[in-house]
Amino acid sequence: MKRVWLAPFSLMMLALGGCQQWSEQNLKTAVPRADTYPYSTQQKMETAHHWDVLAKDMAERIAQSLPDHQVAIYVEPPATPTTFSTAFHSLLQSQMVKQGLHVTLEPGLGAVHTRYTAQLIQHKDLDGARPVPGTYTVLATGLAVMRNAVKNSWENSYLALPLVGLGADYGAGRTVSNEGMEVLITTEVVYGSNLLMSESNMYYINAGGKDHYVAGDSAWQGKTIQVVGQ
C-alpha cells in the first residue's frame, strides 16, 4: 500500500529547494535588514561575591601586566563613590595583596596607578536571549521516543512532535524577554604616561541592583554607628 501522506511532504521539500535558488541579491529593500549575531553568552552580576570574583580576576591580570611585582602600586579611590566602587576598591586591594603585590596607600612618585570605572547602560526595547536553535525540536523528539517506548500502541502520530518542536523553535526565535540593564567595568593600570593594562568587562545586572552603580545610593553610604558604654 502506498503512503499517500508522502506526497505533500515531497511537494514541500521541492518548494523549499526552489526557494533556495532565489538569491538574496535579487531582493530589493529600502533599508538594510537587521541581522543577529552568532549565539553567545554574557555573565550576570548579582551579588557582592561576584564583585570579589571580578576583583580576583583583575588582580591576577594586573600582576601579569607588571614588569616587577615589587613596584609600588596605588589603587586610586573612585572619583564618584557608589556602593560598587567603594566595595570594589577594598576588594581589589585585598586581592592584589594576595597576589603578592606591593600595594601602597599613598600615590608617591614612581608608583603604578590602578583605576577603574563602572558605566551603567540601560537599553529600551532590547531583544532578549533566544533559546539555542533546535532546543524545542530536540525536546519534542526525545519526548516522542520516550512515549513510544512506554506505549507501543501509537502508530505514527508521535512523528508529528518534532514538527511541533520545529514550530516552537521558530516561534522562540521571535519571542524576546528584556535584559535591558548592563554595567561596563573598565580597569586600567597606568605608569606615568604609559597604559600598561586596560580591561573592560560587560555584565548583565538586575534592574533592582542598578542603584549600586549610581552615585547617591543611600543604602550603604558609610554610616557611622555610635556605641555608648553603659
Side-chain angles (χ1 to χ4, degrees):
M1 180 177 178
K2 294 183 178 180
R3 300 292 182 90
V4 179
W5 59 273
L6 287 175
F9 179 77
S10 300
L11 291 175
M12 181 181 67
M13 296 303 295
L14 289 173
L16 290 175
C19 290
Q20 291 180 352
Q21 296 179 0
W22 182 266
S23 172
E24 291 187 358
Q25 295 179 354
N26 296 326
L27 298 178
K28 304 296 182 181
T29 177
V31 295
R33 178 179 62 89
D35 200 0
T36 57
Y37 289 91
Y39 182 80
S40 62
T41 61
Q42 180 172 292
Q43 291 178 318
K44 191 170 186 179
M45 187 173 284
E46 297 184 279
T47 67
H49 170 69
H50 295 160
W51 298 348
D52 192 34
V53 171
L54 175 62
K56 181 177 183 295
D57 181 57
M58 289 299 99
E60 293 174 350
R61 294 177 182 273
I62 290 171
Q64 295 172 2
S65 69
L66 296 178
D68 182 5
H69 284 193
Q70 297 306 313
V71 64
I73 184 167
Y74 174 71
V75 182
E76 295 182 3
T80 305
T82 65
T83 299
F84 166 78
S85 65
T86 302
F88 190 70
H89 186 270
S90 299
L91 293 171
L92 185 58
Q93 283 183 323
S94 298
Q95 292 294 345
M96 290 168 65
V97 171
K98 291 180 181 179
Q99 290 293 320
L101 300 180
H102 180 198
V103 179
T104 178
L105 301 180
E106 297 292 337
L109 295 177
V112 173
H113 283 226
T114 297
R115 59 194 180 205
Y116 57 90
T117 59
Q119 180 181 357
L120 190 65
I121 302 173
Q122 184 172 3
H123 302 278
K124 294 183 179 179
D125 301 327
L126 177 68
D127 287 350
R130 302 170 182 177
V132 178
T135 298
Y136 296 114
T137 305
V138 172
L139 290 176
T141 304
L143 179 61
V145 173
M146 180 183 67
R147 289 295 183 93
N148 190 41
V150 174
K151 189 175 181 180
N152 291 322
S153 60
W154 271 19
E155 294 180 355
N156 290 327
S157 57
Y158 70 91
L159 292 175
L161 281 173
L163 296 179
V164 174
L166 284 172
D169 280 322
Y170 180 85
R174 288 156 177 77
T175 302
V176 298
S177 61
N178 289 327
E179 279 285 7
M181 196 71 65
E182 294 179 295
V183 61
L184 173 64
I185 302 174
T186 301
T187 306
E188 296 179 338
V189 177
V190 179
Y191 181 68
S193 60
N194 298 319
L195 184 62
L196 301 182
M197 189 203 81
S198 181
E199 186 80 19
S200 295
N201 297 276
M202 184 76 72
Y203 300 94
Y204 286 124
I205 62 171
N206 293 320
K210 68 178 182 179
D211 291 341
H212 298 329
Y213 305 90
V214 177
D217 176 18
S218 59
W220 299 93
Q221 284 295 318
K223 295 181 179 179
T224 302
I225 301 176
Q226 184 177 4
V227 180
V228 180
Q230 298 293 332

